[in-house]
Amino acid sequence: MSRLAEAAAGVGLALLGLALTVASADSQAQPSAGARPAAPPDGQPVRVASYRLEASLDAPAHRITGKGTLTWTNTSSEPTRELWFHLYLNAFKNDKTVFLRSPFGAGRSGDHGSDWGYIDVSRLVVRELGPDDLWARAARHSPGDPDDQTDIVVPLPAEVAPGATLHIDFEWQSRLPSIVERTGYSGSFHLLGHWFPKLARREPDGRWAHFAFHPQAEFYADFGSYDVTLDVPAEMVVGATGSQLRDERVGARRRLEFHADAVHDFAWTAFPDFRERREQIENVDVRFLYPPGHEANAAATVEAVRFALPRFSRLYGAYPHPTLTVVHPPEHARNAGGMEYPTFITTGGPWWAASSGLRMVEGVTVHELGHQWFQGVLASNEHQWPFLDEGLDTFAEMRAMSARHGAGSMVALPGLSVSGAAARRALAIRAGHDHPVAQPAERFSSFNSIGALVYARTAIALETIGNVWGHDALERALESYTRRERFRHPGPKSFLEDVRTHLGSDAHDALSAALFDKGWVDYELADLDCVQQGPARGVFGDGAERTTIASDGAQQRSCRALVRRKGTLRFPVDVELVFADGTRQRRRWQASEDWATFDAAGPSEVVAAVVDPDRNVLLDENLGNNSRRKRGEFGHRTLERMTYAVQLALGLIGP
Amino acid sequence: MSALARTRRAVRAVALVYALRALAAWILASPLARALNSTVAAQHPRGDAILFDAGGLELIESLRLSLGVLGSELKGALLIGTVLGALSVIPAAALLAALVEDEPSGPAEWVRRAVTLFPRFVLSFGARLFLQGAVLAVGALALGRLGRRLASSWPEQSADLSVLGLGLLVLAAASALGIYEDLFRVESARGATLGRALRQAGALLRARWLALGGSWLCLVACALVLPLLVAPLVGIVDVSRPGSWRLVVVTFLHQGVVLGMVAARAVWLAIVIELGSAPRAQRLPIDLQVPPSGPIPAEVEAHDTPPQPGE
């Protein structure tokens, strides 16, 4: 898309926004008598919750004072007498909140914060429902939890009908915590996520998707447009969701205006020491913000985005925004790294990371960029179905990194390469029996468990499905899902149906069992045996008729390999027989039964056999029992390498 | 003794130390290799070549499956390693005896002298390891705290490089203990009493710290550079591919590194001997061209005088 086309598209979106505003203005007068909302056109966002915010940052105090107007349309089929707001910053208010209290203690970073954070709403007026401050009626705490204030209901004095639109004016003040994860400050660095009162999403059936902020869970919200004015100290370099429309210096302060459309959140960062780099990638204005000394990391980040943005656009539908901001937090704020917001991602790693052979910076960047589709555009309920975002995104990242770097997609050191699939498989197998993958985030016993199951096991299950039934077909399924469900908050069923359509029922059933039912599988080469076959040998007959038939050396070998499949998952696999003369033979096993035998007869003996020789089934719980040979191998290479390692160690500490 | 004879003797001593160290390493590595190999590779048609496949799938799986066995084997290896570490003092002492000895002698004589020196050397080896461990632990703790403090106020690179610089100083302090131990052992090999060897080693370290430190750095650089130089070559040869010649080539490359490191250590010990013998340097056949960095203290001058009663 050219600049001109981009401008034309911008005008088109503006006209659409205007039309929606006019439509919503019609419904303002009669909030209880609105029409049923139309279904969203395919691939187009519906602006349900749009925010106009003005905020001022007191950097030394890490405080934000703000006011705003939320324009919200009841797009559900049911009227409502309440609004649910998420006050996420209250998760860091004290150590009794759902987020901070035992046994969770800290977020995924594992670090405890050193300073509290909170958000106070001081006023909330719904224009259509009178001048009263409705915040005075709001609940004081999350439902059923007097210690948590992240999930607050505001009762309304009148019913809001389906299709009706409200204009909600509010004022608030936020105090940022020291960074635990995703949001907060560290020194003069500020990452502002979840910094304003955020309306929960109302599902089409009229249920509010509201929840207390749990350390293992992420977010869920409606699409809308955001017009945000930020007032910050003049020395701050600011990056934010959306396009920057204005940057004006007023004395010792700066006022910046940002606009973002078809997004469900707005995050920003302010730090005086940011260096900046800009690139035009696929007509997207990509802005890289990084601390001094991170030039090598910035270069690696640019290259990662240059590779992954076109790839993801091709596979999962065009990136729908004109801008992308990639932030590399300074190392002292490392817990702010690795987070995604619409058109705004944070990556991370120490300044030497890009030169270390560990593809940390690139991996994190590609992962967070992938969220622009799975979290940003599809916007599934991350609290309810975290695997739809983190799991599918980890798979997308793994495939992208593998396409770019091959076997060394995670570690590339002289003599040692580790792929993302190999590393994640180890995690996925270890936790395979702990929980189902497809369940709400708060039901997992720990963040490690989420990491192993939601991230790794989903990715490994999909990699297995692709290896067995074809990656092209799997890509088509993902493409169909991601293009059809743009801006529609899909659930798991939609994705699984695409898998059925493009890969067949067997693949659908296997994936479904792996995700929902703790499905597992272990292939085993249980036995390998050979006997000699041919004309009978020995002593035959009695007396004068007794004859002895000796071996003529032309005996046939009859060999049998016994293969078993344990567990609840079924994947067709190859079984390879290796003969003494060096030849190999492959047979296909559909694995619909629990075991099978594979026979081979001929002059050459089968000396080894292996089930799934290409290691397609990465969900296989134990690769150690997949093969069998007549004579075990000593392992000279291993001994050589270990002896060398011990020699080096002795040289280091020895006398 | 002629220079040629001395060189021959040094080469034989280096070969002896290398062989004994290789034997010790093989004894320690065998059970670990067997444990790692037993899970995935032993029954696979390609054997343990799969552990070296790009991507590391089988290697990680082998580590995962053999973690328990490897853990217990590692404990056993640590126990055996402690015994072998103590015993490895003998070849090290033999090497020193071969380098120090002016008269013609053979391995039997070196080993005899090494056995004599064993109690003192094993004590110094243990003490040195303990002190080095203490210095490194205290240094790491202090640097960790300093690093966290600097990280919040200094630019990252400056903070990290400052901590790294201070870390190198900690390493230098730990290395100085190693240098001191070598000086002590040289003096001991020359027949000095325990007290005299301790004093003379300290005096020599103070007097020649620059030359000793420089030579030590060369040794350390050699120990670091050799493996790094060879690693890419090993990657190119790639033992995961068919052909047993690959394993032969890699073995030669690796053993070349180890041999080079043992030889470098022998050269270092020769330098220590040379520096400790500076007043009679003209009598030594090895011209290492390391000038003394300052006047020689009287106690160093007198290092080869017979021990006095009561010492």
Side-chain angles (χ1 to χ4, degrees):
Chain A
M1 200 162 67
S2 68
R3 279 260 183 206
L4 190 62
E6 190 182 308
V11 170
L13 284 174
L15 288 174
L16 185 60
L18 181 64
L20 283 169
T21 308
V22 170
S24 66
D26 288 344
S27 61
Q28 281 178 31
Q30 300 287 333
S32 299
R36 288 280 289 270
D42 280 356
Q44 294 296 317
V46 169
R47 289 154 190 81
V48 177
S50 293
Y51 293 77
R52 184 175 288 279
L53 304 171
E54 275 185 50
S56 175
L57 172 67
D58 177 351
H62 316 297
R63 232 173 246 286
I64 300 130
T65 306
K67 61 181 180 179
T69 300
L70 160 63
T71 304
W72 174 71
T73 302
N74 180 7
T75 53
S76 78
S77 56
E78 298 294 324
T80 183
R81 287 290 299 260
E82 61 192 20
L83 298 173
W84 285 85
F85 281 90
H86 287 135
L87 305 182
Y88 292 121
L89 277 186
N90 282 340
F92 310 103
K93 192 170 183 177
N94 56 56
D95 56 14
K96 287 193 162 185
T97 67
V98 167
F99 195 105
L100 293 181
R101 72 189 176 214
S102 179
F104 310 114
R108 60 182 175 169
S109 67
D111 292 340
H112 290 260
S114 57
D115 197 5
W116 308 112
Y118 52 84
I119 177 168
D120 287 330
V121 177
S122 51
R123 176 174 164 269
L124 188 140
V125 173
V126 180
R127 289 182 202 168
E128 291 77 8
L129 300 178
D132 291 350
D133 178 5
L134 300 182
W135 196 255
R137 305 179 183 193
R140 299 291 89 174
H141 54 75
S142 304
D145 193 335
D147 292 324
D148 191 273
Q149 296 176 295
T150 58
D151 184 19
I152 300 298
V153 62
V154 180
L156 298 177
E159 199 170 74
V160 181
T165 294
L166 301 181
H167 291 78
I168 303 158
D169 298 321
F170 56 95
E171 293 174 16
W172 85 97
Q173 193 172 70
S174 299
R175 168 72 161 75
L176 289 177
S178 58
I179 288 177
V180 176
E181 61 187 51
R182 303 189 182 109
T183 188
Y185 75 89
S186 175
S188 57
F189 171 84
H190 295 78
L191 177 65
L192 296 105
H194 323 295
W195 53 286
F196 58 94
K198 185 92 181 283
L199 188 70
R201 171 171 153 76
R202 190 164 160 84
E203 300 285 14
D205 63 4
R207 284 177 301 111
W208 284 94
H210 66 92
F211 39 80
F213 190 8
H214 192 279
Q216 290 168 190
E218 292 191 290
F219 312 100
Y220 186 40
D222 271 313
F223 286 99
S225 63
Y226 283 72
D227 292 283
V228 180
T229 304
L230 301 173
D231 170 59
V232 299
E235 72 275 14
M236 287 291 186
V237 179
V238 175
T241 294
S243 307
Q244 185 176 309
L245 305 180
R246 187 180 298 178
D247 182 356
E248 178 178 78
R249 184 162 182 150
V250 185
R253 309 283 295 179
R254 282 170 67 201
R255 277 178 73 83
L256 302 105
E257 285 182 26
F258 291 88
H259 171 76
D261 205 6
V263 295
H264 51 67
D265 203 353
F266 187 98
W268 55 293
T269 183
F271 182 45
D273 297 332
F274 270 136
R275 303 290 184 264
E276 182 176 353
R277 194 169 158 177
R278 276 179 186 271
E279 297 279 329
Q280 197 73 21
I281 301 172
E282 291 252 307
N283 291 318
V284 179
D285 181 15
V286 188
R287 188 174 178 223
F288 300 88
L289 298 175
Y290 57 94
H294 280 258
E295 286 71 20
N297 283 341
T301 307
V302 169
E303 287 310 311
V305 175
R306 213 194 289 277
F307 176 80
L309 188 86
R311 176 186 169 88
F312 290 159
S313 281
R314 178 171 52 82
L315 292 176
Y316 313 128
Y319 180 74
H321 306 290
T323 63
L324 172 70
T325 300
V326 184
V327 178
H328 193 122
E331 188 56 12
H332 58 81
R334 72 175 75 88
N335 291 335
M339 186 52 196
E340 70 284 0
Y341 296 97
T343 82
F344 180 101
I345 59 176
T346 64
T347 181
W351 57 272
W352 44 263
S355 341
S356 67
L358 312 175
R359 302 199 192 281
M360 187 194 310
V361 178
E362 290 164 277
V364 174
T365 303
V366 171
H367 182 90
E368 305 311 329
L369 179 63
H371 278 303
Q372 291 303 312
W373 281 262
F374 297 103
Q375 185 255 10
V377 177
L378 298 181
S380 301
N381 185 338
E382 295 180 89
H383 186 272
Q384 184 73 19
W385 304 113
F387 85 93
L388 279 179
D389 173 35
E390 295 293 357
L392 298 192
D393 183 38
T394 301
F395 174 68
E397 171 225 320
M398 210 165 77
R399 295 291 297 171
M401 290 294 285
S402 172
R404 182 151 186 246
H405 296 294
S409 59
M410 188 170 263
V411 176
L413 297 170
L416 176 68
S417 64
V418 177
S419 68
R424 289 195 171 96
R425 180 189 166 276
L427 289 174
I429 295 300
R430 196 183 59 185
H433 297 276
D434 291 356
H435 305 283
V437 171
Q439 63 169 0
E442 62 190 20
R443 288 202 196 148
F444 289 88
S445 54
S446 67
F447 192 81
N448 284 341
S449 190
I450 283 206
L453 293 167
V454 168
Y455 290 66
R457 199 164 173 92
T458 306
I460 291 305
L462 287 170
E463 186 74 13
T464 299
I465 297 283
N467 289 344
V468 172
W469 283 287
H471 276 286
D472 288 346
L474 181 56
E475 274 180 7
R476 284 197 298 278
L478 268 166
E479 184 180 355
S480 164
Y481 165 70
T482 50
R483 287 179 189 270
R484 187 186 62 251
E485 299 289 0
R486 280 165 83 88
F487 308 111
R488 295 168 73 111
H489 312 282
K493 196 176 169 192
S494 171
F495 172 58
L496 286 170
E497 282 310 311
D498 278 305
V499 170
R500 188 198 299 277
T501 303
H502 293 274
L503 293 110
S505 290
D506 287 348
H508 167 275
D509 294 349
L511 184 60
S512 182
L515 295 175
F516 285 87
D517 304 323
K518 296 197 281 187
W520 66 283
V521 70
D522 179 19
Y523 289 96
E524 182 188 11
L525 201 308
D527 197 15
L528 174 64
D529 203 10
C530 292
V531 292
Q532 288 197 331
Q533 259 189 349
R537 297 171 300 160
V539 180
F540 298 90
D542 298 312
E545 293 179 351
R546 175 171 291 170
T547 55
T548 301
I549 303 173
S551 170
D552 59 359
Q555 289 289 313
Q556 294 278 305
R557 309 276 179 171
S558 177
C559 299
R560 168 168 289 184
L562 170 63
V563 182
R564 292 187 201 280
R565 178 186 56 77
K566 301 173 200 162
T568 55
L569 300 178
R570 291 192 176 101
F571 299 101
V573 287
D574 284 340
V575 175
E576 185 173 83
L577 305 176
V578 182
F579 294 87
D581 61 6
T583 57
R584 289 162 190 263
Q585 210 178 79
R586 282 204 179 188
R587 316 262 182 89
R588 191 70 168 164
W589 182 35
Q590 291 305 317
S592 46
E593 59 284 348
D594 292 344
W595 60 273
T597 54
F598 294 85
D599 297 331
S604 187
E605 186 181 44
V606 175
V607 291
V610 54
V611 57
D612 190 23
D614 297 328
R615 300 303 198 216
N616 286 330
V617 183
L618 293 178
L619 281 174
D620 190 341
E621 301 232 328
N622 183 350
L623 301 181
N625 60 9
N626 283 33
S627 49
R628 193 166 277 256
R629 52 192 289 170
K630 300 287 274 184
R631 279 180 301 174
E633 210 220 29
F634 177 69
H636 297 283
R637 298 170 189 82
T638 318
L639 181 60
E640 187 280 327
R641 203 56 63 94
M642 285 221 167
T643 304
Y644 175 59
V646 175
Q647 281 174 307
L648 290 184
L650 288 177
L652 191 69
I653 61 165
Chain B
M1 264 181 88
S2 70
L4 185 62
R6 250 179 203 282
T7 306
R8 273 191 190 149
R9 193 168 66 179
V11 168
R12 282 162 67 197
V14 164
L16 179 71
V17 170
Y18 161 77
L20 291 174
R21 186 168 285 178
L23 181 66
W26 182 79
I27 290 170
L28 286 172
S30 291
L32 297 174
R34 199 178 308 117
L36 184 65
N37 201 48
S38 65
T39 50
V40 178
Q43 290 294 323
H44 196 275
R46 286 177 55 219
D48 67 345
I50 55 167
L51 300 185
F52 298 87
D53 279 349
L57 177 68
E58 314 281 359
L59 177 63
I60 291 176
E61 178 69 344
S62 293
L63 287 168
R64 189 180 76 82
L65 293 174
S66 62
L67 215 54
V69 187
L70 267 179
S72 56
E73 291 290 356
L74 206 59
K75 282 180 197 161
L78 278 176
L79 195 69
I80 298 168
T82 308
V83 175
L84 285 177
L87 290 176
S88 67
V89 163
I90 294 177
L95 173 65
L96 206 53
L99 293 171
V100 164
E101 187 59 57
D102 278 338
E103 301 305 318
S105 58
E109 173 61 16
W110 309 334
V111 171
R112 190 194 62 75
R113 288 195 60 187
V115 170
T116 314
L117 290 167
F118 177 73
R120 189 185 289 188
F121 277 23
V122 85
L123 203 67
S124 73
F125 176 46
R128 188 257 296 173
L129 277 186
F130 174 77
L131 289 173
Q132 277 184 332
V135 167
L136 291 176
V138 170
L141 209 65
L143 288 175
R145 284 187 180 179
L146 179 69
R148 280 193 293 278
R149 185 170 290 183
L150 291 183
S152 58
S153 50
W154 284 29
E156 283 171 57
Q157 257 179 328
S158 310
D160 283 357
L161 291 175
S162 302
V163 170
L164 183 68
L166 291 171
L168 289 177
L169 285 181
V170 172
L171 277 179
S175 296
L177 290 166
I179 298 173
Y180 177 77
E181 190 204 6
D182 281 343
L183 293 171
F184 164 78
R185 291 193 303 168
V186 166
E187 295 305 323
S188 298
R190 283 185 166 140
T193 59
L194 180 64
R196 190 173 189 83
L198 286 170
R199 281 199 306 277
Q200 284 175 347
L204 193 60
L205 185 58
R206 283 195 300 277
R208 300 285 172 83
W209 65 270
L210 193 60
L212 287 166
S215 313
W216 178 265
L217 276 182
C218 290
L219 174 69
V220 170
C222 177
L224 289 176
V225 167
L226 278 176
L228 289 177
L229 279 178
V230 160
L233 294 177
V234 170
I236 292 167
V237 176
D238 188 5
V239 293
S240 72
R241 288 152 66 193
S244 49
W245 64 269
R246 294 177 192 279
L247 180 60
V248 174
V249 171
V250 166
T251 306
F252 270 108
L253 286 170
H254 282 158
Q255 294 312 303
V257 168
V258 177
L259 197 56
M261 287 168 70
V262 174
R265 179 143 183 82
V267 170
W268 151 253
L269 287 173
I271 291 170
V272 170
I273 293 165
E274 167 92 354
L275 289 173
S277 316
R280 54 192 182 111
Q282 69 280 6
R283 288 195 282 125
L284 288 175
I286 304 168
D287 180 13
L288 295 161
Q289 298 180 333
V290 183
S293 61
I296 312 299
E299 53 187 326
V300 177
E301 290 272 15
H303 77 284
D304 54 356
T305 56
Q308 301 301 309
E311 278 189 341

